[in-house]
Amino acid sequence: MGTLVGCSENSSKKNEEVVKPTSTEISQNTEKIKKEDGMVWIPGGEFKMGTDEKDAYPAEKPAVKRKVSGFWMDETEVTNAQFKKFIDETGYITIAEQKPEWEEMKKQLPPDTPKPDESLLQAGSMVFIPPTDPVDTRDISQWWKWVTGANWKHPEGPNSNLEGRWDHPVVHIAYDDAVAYAKWAGKRLPTEAEWEFAAKGGLIDKRYAWGSELRPSGKFMANTFQGNFPNGNKGEDGYMGTAPVKNFPPNNFGLYDIIGNVWEMTDDWFDAIKFQRLAGNASVLDSNMNQCYNPSNPFAKERVIKGGSFLCSDNYCVNYRPSARQGHAYDSGTSNVGFRCVKDAPQRTVSMK
């Protein structure tokens, strides 16, 4: 199996339980969409999580039955304007704005990794910088670069700003940053099951959040990458990077940009064979054991991200689907990862009269 890293199971698993496979499926939700304070109501139900599609990635297989209770979910990804309000009211400083601590960094690196020069340990974040020519797509260093001074306020580095992008999703956010925002807002991050249930919008066995075709009648349904990744973005959907929220149609539950634009963080640790374990095809991790498992990155501590981003393309990263899932380092952000929050339904008081 590979080395399991030190990620304890401290994630909130609210509203989620394993359901034994049955022949039933949830039917498409026909209730009128309920909205409140920028959130939409997601009715609970049983659904098929993951996929058995031949062309899906191994981490998504096999499909398993899950059940979630109803909850409220932000209708959009958290925007720069919303995040700024949080910063202005709390004075919070994001992880990307702080100098990296070597003692923490080396916990996710192979033993005996030498400490980098102190001049390299500067506040910053990972930025997508497209190469000018075709490159070997097995080498992500061809387009991902560490940029000193890149953070939520300066997405491409210290010389960039948010002018004209206040309604774009906030990026360069680490897991702890998202949790801090969620607590301030009286919310929390969604579990992976909640997120996928919401993204599917009640549809059954559909490849995309809106149906079976990527572009029904030629219409762009999400902000993704058109052209040869990573150097040939044609921008046919109108955007070369992030897009303002609500620029593409919502899904059946009224959620905008649930696919594409930016990846979205969940509260779950990443386990590359989670669904195999749930299906009984691999050993189940004990609650006292480590919960992160990624054989391609055995020392990482990763949270699950969902939905794909503006960098997902049909020739490289076909992750613009509800079942798609990847691991993302919990202690850092990038220019294509954001988040949205959820909130539990209030408990109702039952009169005994």
Side-chain angles (χ1 to χ4, degrees):
M1 194 177 271
T3 304
L4 296 180
V5 299
C7 300
S8 60
E9 178 58 9
N10 59 7
S11 299
S12 168
K13 290 293 179 284
K14 298 178 181 179
N15 298 342
E16 180 184 343
E17 61 182 88
V18 178
V19 179
K20 294 180 180 180
T22 67
S23 59
T24 60
E25 301 281 2
I26 61 168
S27 59
Q28 184 167 336
N29 175 49
T30 57
E31 297 179 1
K32 187 176 181 180
I33 295 173
K34 293 168 57 179
K35 296 187 178 184
E36 180 180 292
D37 297 329
M39 306 187 83
V40 296
W41 174 249
I42 310 298
E46 185 178 290
F47 77 113
K48 188 185 294 185
M49 185 176 179
T51 183
D52 292 316
E53 285 184 83
K54 178 182 177 181
D55 294 332
Y57 297 114
E60 306 170 49
K61 302 176 182 179
V64 293
K65 290 294 179 72
R66 304 291 275 176
K67 179 184 287 185
V68 297
S69 300
F71 57 96
W72 291 94
M73 190 174 212
D74 289 344
E75 62 178 340
T76 73
E77 295 146 341
V78 174
T79 65
N80 288 314
Q82 291 171 320
F83 198 76
K84 183 179 184 300
K85 183 177 180 181
F86 159 63
I87 297 297
D88 289 346
E89 292 189 11
T90 64
Y92 183 86
I93 300 174
T94 64
I95 289 177
E97 297 172 271
Q98 303 174 43
K99 179 183 176 180
E101 296 291 337
W102 172 241
E103 291 303 313
E104 292 299 318
M105 290 176 62
K106 69 181 184 181
K107 294 177 181 178
Q108 298 188 67
L109 297 171
D112 301 322
T113 298
K115 180 181 179 180
D117 187 272
E118 193 68 26
S119 64
L120 299 176
L121 295 176
Q122 301 296 320
S125 190
M126 297 296 288
V127 177
F128 172 75
I129 301 177
T132 56
D133 299 300
V135 296
D136 184 347
T137 54
R138 293 172 296 182
D139 181 6
I140 65 172
S141 69
Q142 296 294 316
W143 57 87
W144 282 114
K145 308 293 183 182
W146 177 267
V147 177
T148 299
N151 54 52
W152 77 273
K153 292 181 290 187
H154 307 289
E156 291 79 46
N159 294 325
S160 64
N161 57 53
L162 296 176
E163 184 177 352
R165 290 189 282 183
W166 291 107
D167 56 353
H168 288 226
V170 66
V171 292
H172 296 299
I173 300 300
Y175 172 80
D176 285 349
D177 302 330
V179 169
Y181 174 93
K183 289 181 177 179
W184 168 80
K187 304 175 185 180
R188 60 180 175 83
L189 293 182
T191 65
E192 182 180 3
E194 288 174 330
W195 191 99
E196 188 167 325
F197 178 85
K200 289 183 172 178
L203 298 180
I204 301 170
D205 292 331
K206 301 298 182 182
R207 184 167 173 80
Y208 305 107
W210 48 84
S212 300
E213 297 181 38
L214 178 60
R215 297 173 195 143
S217 302
K219 184 176 183 179
F220 288 102
M221 303 296 289
N223 179 18
T224 60
F225 191 107
Q226 299 85 51
N228 185 63
F229 183 88
N231 65 298
N233 192 355
K234 298 178 181 178
E236 293 171 341
D237 59 9
Y239 300 96
M240 300 293 284
T242 60
V245 298
K246 293 190 174 183
N247 258 38
F248 295 87
N251 75 351
N252 286 344
F253 287 162
L255 299 169
Y256 292 87
D257 302 297
I258 196 72
I259 296 298
N261 216 8
V262 293
W263 285 94
E264 299 183 15
M265 277 179 273
T266 73
D267 198 40
D268 286 31
W269 292 110
F270 180 72
D271 175 5
I273 60 171
K274 176 179 180 176
F275 298 149
Q276 293 181 46
R277 299 187 203 281
L278 293 175
N281 301 330
S283 59
V284 177
L285 293 174
D286 184 90
S287 61
N288 294 321
M289 292 175 63
N290 298 322
Q291 299 299 304
C292 296
Y293 176 63
N294 185 348
S296 65
N297 195 5
F299 297 97
K301 297 180 181 180
E302 298 176 321
R303 297 281 181 173
V304 176
I305 54 174
K306 300 281 286 181
S309 77
F310 65 90
L311 294 179
C312 288
S313 66
D314 57 9
N315 79 301
Y316 177 71
C317 168
V318 190
N319 282 312
Y320 36 68
R321 297 169 293 107
S323 62
R325 59 197 300 267
Q326 283 191 357
H328 180 74
Y330 84 100
D331 60 349
S332 60
T334 63
S335 57
N336 70 331
V337 176
F339 69 104
R340 76 177 73 209
C341 302
V342 299
K343 183 170 64 174
D344 296 315
Q347 295 293 321
R348 294 182 178 180
T349 301
V350 178
S351 173
M352 302 302 293
K353 293 181 180 180

